[in-house]
Amino acid sequence: MTQVLVLVLALLIGVVAGSRALTAPAVVAWGAMLGWIDVADKWSEWMAHPITVTVLTIFALGELVTDQLPMTPSRKVPPQFIARLITGGFSGAVIGSAFFHTFSATGAGVVGAVLGTLAGAELRSRFAGAKGGNDRPGAFTEDVLAVGGGVLVAFLVSLV
């Protein structure tokens, strides 16, 4: 049962990465630092280090700002899509490492990133269409969902 829960959480953190590529590793690092994700004596232990948390948080905040810019490329172009696959898989792997399920959780994180990328792009497009082409409210909504959802996933790991 634990393995299934770990894979579901890895999938969900992948969905977060599909929405905001750098939010997923940042919230996983925060989860590790706060003790929600047990990375002690594992390959992922460095994720709990304050420098790692700080750097990833700065990157995630930068992404939240740049996503609001009109010249930001679509998340579905290859570099953006690949970045989401990598960060989703990596974030899933960190969650999986807490339970010695690194490889399967990596796969779940990648699958979640695909789902999050495609579904997020579609939902944001529909939201913008409903708002007369104004993309900003959808972007802010997606920011809140990605950060809040990521924090929730990281916290839920502590309950498994």
Side-chain angles (χ1 to χ4, degrees):
M1 185 62 167
T2 300
Q3 184 175 4
V4 171
L5 292 174
V6 171
L7 294 178
V8 168
L9 292 170
L11 179 90
L12 292 173
I13 203 66
V15 171
V16 170
S19 179
R20 295 288 177 272
L22 297 172
T23 296
V27 297
V28 167
W30 273 98
M33 187 176 79
L34 293 171
W36 297 345
I37 302 171
D38 179 17
V39 294
D41 298 322
K42 298 177 180 88
W43 68 266
S44 54
E45 185 172 32
W46 60 277
M47 287 294 285
H49 194 282
I51 292 174
T52 305
V53 174
T54 302
V55 169
L56 289 174
T57 300
I58 290 168
F59 287 165
L61 291 172
E63 180 183 36
L64 293 175
V65 171
T66 58
D67 182 63
Q68 305 298 321
L69 303 175
M71 68 222 111
T72 301
S74 167
R75 72 186 81 199
K76 296 190 294 185
V77 299
Q80 298 283 342
F81 202 110
I82 291 167
R84 284 163 166 71
L85 297 179
I86 291 169
T87 60
F90 174 74
S91 299
V94 173
I95 287 174
S97 73
F99 304 92
F100 303 101
H101 295 300
T102 298
F103 295 111
S104 57
T106 300
V110 170
V111 169
V114 170
L115 297 173
T117 299
L118 299 176
E122 181 63 25
L123 288 172
R124 188 156 163 189
S125 174
R126 288 183 185 202
F127 197 90
K131 295 290 182 184
N134 185 1
D135 186 52
R136 189 140 309 167
F140 284 128
T141 301
E142 194 174 9
D143 290 345
V144 170
L145 290 173
V147 173
V151 170
L152 179 62
V153 169
F155 174 73
L156 289 175
V157 172
S158 69
L159 302 178
V160 174

